Amino acid sequence: MNEEIKVGGHISRQFDEELEEIRARVLKMGGLVEAQLDKALHALREDSSEQIVDVEKLDRKVNKLEMLIDEECTQILAKRQPAAGDLRLIIATSKSVRDLERIGDEAERVATMVRHALDNDASNKSFKGLLSLGEHVKELLHATLNTYARMDSRSAVLNMRMDQHIDEEYSRVVVRLVNLMKKDSDNISDALDVMWAARSLERIGDHCINICENVIYLVEGEDVRHTAFDRIKERLG
Amino acid sequence: MNEEIKVGGHISRQFDEELEEIRARVLKMGGLVEAQLDKALHALREDSSEQIVDVEKLDRKVNKLEMLIDEECTQILAKRQPAAGDLRLIIATSKSVRDLERIGDEAERVATMVRHALDNDASNKSFKGLLSLGEHVKELLHATLNTYARMDSRSAVLNMRMDQHIDEEYSRVVVRLVNLMKKDSDNISDALDVMWAARSLERIGDHCINICENVIYLVEGEDVRHTAFDRIKERLG
C-alpha cells in the first residue's frame, strides 16, 4: 500500500503542496519537542537550571504549532475531501500532533522536577539514575520521528520493542527509588520528584508508540491499537 | 452557531442516521467508562476485589467501541465529505472517544492499585482518603457526558471549574500521603499505591476537560486548548 501514502502526485499541485507543508510542519514540531526533551535532560545531567526556561518557551511554540497543524488538517478535510491514503494521512497526522504536544508537556514536567530539586538545594544524585532512561527515551523519540518522516511501518514495530525495554528500565528505577525512601525518610520528597520525572519519561515512550501505531495505520491501513506486540510483529515485523 | 451542530436535517436521511448512530455509540461508550470508574470506586470503598474483574472486562468492550467509532468516523469522512458543523462533529467525536478510552484505562489503574493493596493485605485506610476525590471525579465525568450529549458549551466551562477544584483536592491528597510516608517508612509502599491511584483520578479529570474543549470547538468553532480558563470563561461563561 506504500504508493498510496506517497505525498505528491495529485492532479492538484496545490493539494500536493498543502500535504507536504503539513508534513514539514509536523517534523518541525517534532524537532522542537526533541529540543525540549534534550534541554530537560541537560538540566538533569548538569545540575543546571540554565536551559529550563527554554523548555517552557519551546512549549508555547509547540502548542501553537499543534493548533495550527490541526486547523490545517481540518481545512484540508473541508476543502479537498481527501480519500484513501490522503485521508489516512490527515487522520494519522492530526492524532500524532496531539501526542507530540503531550511529549512536550512531559518534557516540561521533567524540567520542573529538576528545577524543584535545585531550588530545594536537594542533592539530585538520584536524578542521575534517570539519565540512562532519559537517553533511551530520547533515542525512541528520534527513531519515532524518523518513522513518521519515512512513513516506515517496519521501524514502527522496532520502536515498540524499544519501548518495552524502556518500560522495564522504568520499573527498575521505581524499585530503586522505593528502597531509597525506605532506607531514609529524609529522602522521601526528593525521591518522589525523581519518581514523577521517571514517570514522565516513561509516558513519553507511550506517546511515541501511539505515533508509531498511527504510522502503521497510515501505511498498512490497519488499526493496531489494543493489539498485542507479538501479533503486530508477526504481521508486520 | 448552535443550529449548525444539530444532528439531523440533512438531505440524505441515511447521513442523519449515521451521525445519530455515532453519537449514540459515544454515549454508550461513555456509560461503560462510567461503570468502570464506578466499580473501581466500589472496590476502594468496600475493600472488595469482587468488581475489579468487571473493570477489566469492560475495558475490552471500551477498546472495541473506540476502534469501531473511529472507523465509522473515517468512513463518514470518506463517504460523506462533511462540511462545517458536521465536519467538526466528526473531528470532535474522534478526539473525545480517545479521551474516553484513556479514562477507562485510568479507572483500570485505580482498580489494579486496590487489588494490589488487597493482595498485600495492606490496611487500605489511606485509600479511603481517595473516596471524596473519586466521587468528585465521577461527578465531573457524568457532567462531561451530559455536556457532550447536549452539546452544551456553557456547561463545558462549568466543568472546567470543577476540574480546578479536583486538582486542588489532588494536591492536598499528595501532601497528606507524603506526610504519612515520612512518619513511618512501613507506609511507603502502600502510600505509593494510593498516590498512583490518586494520580489516575486526577488524570481522568484532565481527560474530561479535553472532551469539554472538544465540545466548545464543536459548538463555538473555537479551539480553546492552551487558553487560560479565565479567558474561556470571559468569552463563553
Side-chain angles (χ1 to χ4, degrees), chain A residues 161-196:
Chain A
R161 173 70 75 198
M162 274 172 85
D163 188 53
Q164 289 185 326
H165 292 150
I166 285 171
D167 287 348
E168 287 158 18
E169 190 172 0
Y170 165 73
S171 297
R172 288 194 298 272
V173 167
V174 169
V175 168
R176 207 167 56 222
L177 288 167
V178 171
N179 288 333
L180 197 73
M181 289 193 249
K182 284 182 178 166
K183 222 161 52 190
D184 183 355
S185 67
D186 287 345
N187 291 324
I188 288 175
S189 294
D190 296 345
L192 277 174
D193 281 350
V194 182
M195 206 178 274
W196 293 132

Side-chain angles (χ1 to χ4, degrees), chain A residues 131-158:
Chain A
L131 273 177
S132 155
L133 179 65
E135 289 301 323
H136 291 144
V137 169
K138 200 174 122 183
E139 277 171 38
L140 175 58
L141 175 57
H142 193 71
T144 298
L145 292 171
N146 281 339
T147 293
Y148 180 88
R150 291 184 283 116
M151 310 265 167
D152 176 4
S153 59
R154 275 171 192 266
S155 71
V157 177
L158 295 177

Side-chain angles (χ1 to χ4, degrees), chain B residues 41 44-45 127-136 169:
Chain B
L41 293 179
L44 202 147
R45 191 170 39 240
F127 271 110
K128 303 293 183 225
L130 291 189
L131 273 176
S132 155
L133 180 65
E135 289 302 324
H136 291 145
E169 188 171 2

Side-chain angles (χ1 to χ4, degrees), chain A residues 66 70 95 98-99 226, chain B residues 66 70 95 98-99 226:
Chain A
E66 181 200 10
D70 232 17
K95 286 182 179 171
R98 185 167 179 183
D99 282 299
H226 315 303
Chain B
E66 180 200 10
D70 232 17
K95 286 183 179 171
R98 186 167 178 183
D99 282 299
H226 314 303

Side-chain angles (χ1 to χ4, degrees), chain A residues 43-55:
Chain A
L44 202 146
R45 191 169 40 238
E46 309 291 335
D47 292 343
S48 147
S49 61
E50 192 194 330
Q51 299 196 4
I52 291 179
V53 66
D54 296 340
V55 181

